[in-house]
Amino acid sequence: MDIPVVENVLKLNDEVAALNRQQLRERHILTLDLMGSAGCGKTALLEATLRRLGDKLHIAVIAGDLTTTRDAQRLAALCPRVVQINTGRSCHLDANQVRQALARLDLNALDLLVIENVGNLICPVGFDLGQDFKVAMFAVSEGDDKPAKHPYMVTEAAALVLNKTDLLPHVPFKMDQFRADVAYLHPRVPLLTVSALRGEIEPWLDWLLAARKKP
Ligand SMILES: Nc1nc2c(ncn2[C@@H]2O[C@H](COP(=O)(O)OP(=O)(O)OP(=O)(O)O)[C@@H](O)[C@H]2O)c(=O)[nH]1
Ligand SMILES: [Mg+2]
């Protein structure tokens, strides 16, 4: 019997992602998909980034959340180009939602677009949004085992941010174990240790500015 097989359930998403990528690359806009668990500090990192780079680069942010515009409101205090996507019950953004958000942004003269994905270590990994790079974010308060337990976050990411390093004296976190697991899963991926709360984000800023120069 001939059983029909759906070979690529993500095909439609991939097609729209390709359109997004083409639109963004034509304008030379570096686009990042920032993924990480709920509360790891994605919005805090973007706030710190806007404080440091907001008057040097034209930056836009698309913030994904199930409900509320709270992240967008925080970011709008620092950036005039912010769009919130409410995903309802969905645990990740998809390319079509990003496409609709792009239509709400003036892409002319934009240098950098960061898409803050829904706080979740699993679902965002599998969906191409049209970004140049996926960035995975962890926090020391989540424990050192998260890369090993969520390997696809690590293998799909072009860079890893480890946040809340200011809490290292207060939480059990084996940095050696964390680094070893990351190195095993994705050798040579940049590991950027930061404290968004304190504004200590130099490794992230350095990576970001270097990524802009890549063709
Ligand atoms: N100690 C410490 N706290 C931080 C740091 N960065 C963020 N936080 C705190 O962690 C909490 C969550 O930060 P958010 O920036 O909202 O995290 P998020 O990843 O955007 O969360 P969702 O959008 O809900 O997924 C807030 O109370 C922040 O103040 C940090 O570097 N150190
Ligand atoms: Mg947030």
Side-chain angles (χ1 to χ4, degrees), residues 37-44 46 63-65 70-72 74-75 116-117 119:
S37 65
C40 70
K42 299 179 292 299
T43 308
L46 295 180
D65 249 319
R70 291 190 188 190
D71 282 1
R74 280 165 64 184
L75 296 162
E116 179 185 336
N117 219 313

Side-chain angles (χ1 to χ4, degrees), residues 23-34:
Q23 187 180 9
L24 291 159
R25 288 212 171 147
E26 272 171 3
R27 291 170 173 77
H28 306 289
I29 302 168
L30 174 67
T31 303
L32 306 177
D33 175 10
L34 182 60

Side-chain angles (χ1 to χ4, degrees), residues 1-5:
M1 203 172 112
D2 228 2
I3 306 287
V5 178

Side-chain angles (χ1 to χ4, degrees), residues 34-37 39-42 121 135-154 157 159-165 173 178 182 185 191-192 194:
L34 182 60
M35 313 178 296
S37 65
C40 70
K42 299 179 292 299
L121 285 170
V135 175
M137 188 164 177
F138 296 97
V140 302
S141 49
E142 298 169 349
D144 49 60
D145 58 356
K146 291 303 166 290
K149 292 175 76 171
H150 297 277
Y152 305 114
M153 277 280 287
V154 178
L160 250 64
V161 179
L162 177 61
N163 189 33
K164 307 198 187 184
T165 51
F173 183 90
F178 184 90
V182 167
L185 289 164
L191 175 56
L192 316 169
V194 302

